[in-house]
Amino acid sequence: MKKAFLLNLFVVVSLAFVTSGTSIAQSKSKGITGTWNFKAPDAPYEYSEGSIVIEKKEGSYKFIMAFDENNKLEAYDVKVKGKEITCKLNIQGDVINIKATNKKNNLEGIATYSEGSIAFTATREKKKE
């Protein structure tokens, strides 16, 4: 009787670990990729909010920042290291260096350019069901 109880307990505990390990792996696999809605309150109005799409295709990352339907910019020199992404954008002839860190479902970042730097935050867009 004790052996059957211990065996059942072992099976239940093992399943709990396997299940929790799967969900942790799934949440980590999202990583930095996805669609993010950003806000940069100190930026000029036309650049103060929009979306960021980060994709990984064939081993390399793509970073696209959209301020509206007609104003989308693709970054270059995109690098991802752990939870951090860096890249560069050209906006009106100025090179903007972007550095952001993924903190759960938020990005915290800074955009540095010739006149200084501007902080921004972004929230992961929830998938529509």
Side-chain angles (χ1 to χ4, degrees):
M1 181 86 165
K2 283 184 181 180
K3 285 183 182 181
F5 174 76
L6 288 174
L7 181 59
N8 285 334
L9 180 63
F10 176 74
V11 169
V12 169
V13 170
S14 297
L15 286 173
F17 278 115
V18 168
T19 304
S20 69
T22 301
S23 63
I24 289 170
Q26 287 171 346
S27 67
K28 283 185 179 179
S29 69
K30 274 187 183 178
I32 205 158
T33 60
T35 301
W36 304 82
N37 296 313
F38 79 87
K39 292 187 185 273
D42 296 330
Y45 176 76
E46 63 271 21
Y47 301 112
S48 63
E49 61 182 47
S51 65
I52 297 170
V53 176
I54 303 172
E55 299 175 332
K56 184 176 183 183
K57 289 186 179 178
E58 299 175 8
S60 62
Y61 286 88
K62 201 174 192 181
F63 182 103
I64 300 168
M65 187 173 252
F67 302 101
D68 60 40
E69 292 284 326
N70 301 316
N71 194 0
K72 296 178 184 178
L73 301 171
E74 186 170 343
Y76 61 97
D77 200 18
V78 180
K79 294 181 180 131
V80 174
K81 192 173 192 178
K83 294 182 176 190
E84 186 176 280
I85 187 166
T86 59
C87 61
K88 297 178 182 182
L89 287 168
N90 282 317
I91 298 179
Q92 295 182 350
D94 206 350
V95 175
I96 313 297
N97 293 295
I98 294 177
K99 181 178 182 180
T101 304
N102 181 1
K103 296 187 176 184
K104 294 190 180 180
N105 285 324
N106 295 303
L107 289 177
E108 293 180 10
I110 192 147
T112 306
Y113 66 115
S114 63
E115 294 183 28
S117 59
I118 296 173
F120 69 90
T121 57
T123 305
R124 187 184 299 277
E125 191 173 277
K126 294 180 181 175
K127 290 185 178 182
K128 296 174 185 171
E129 294 181 32

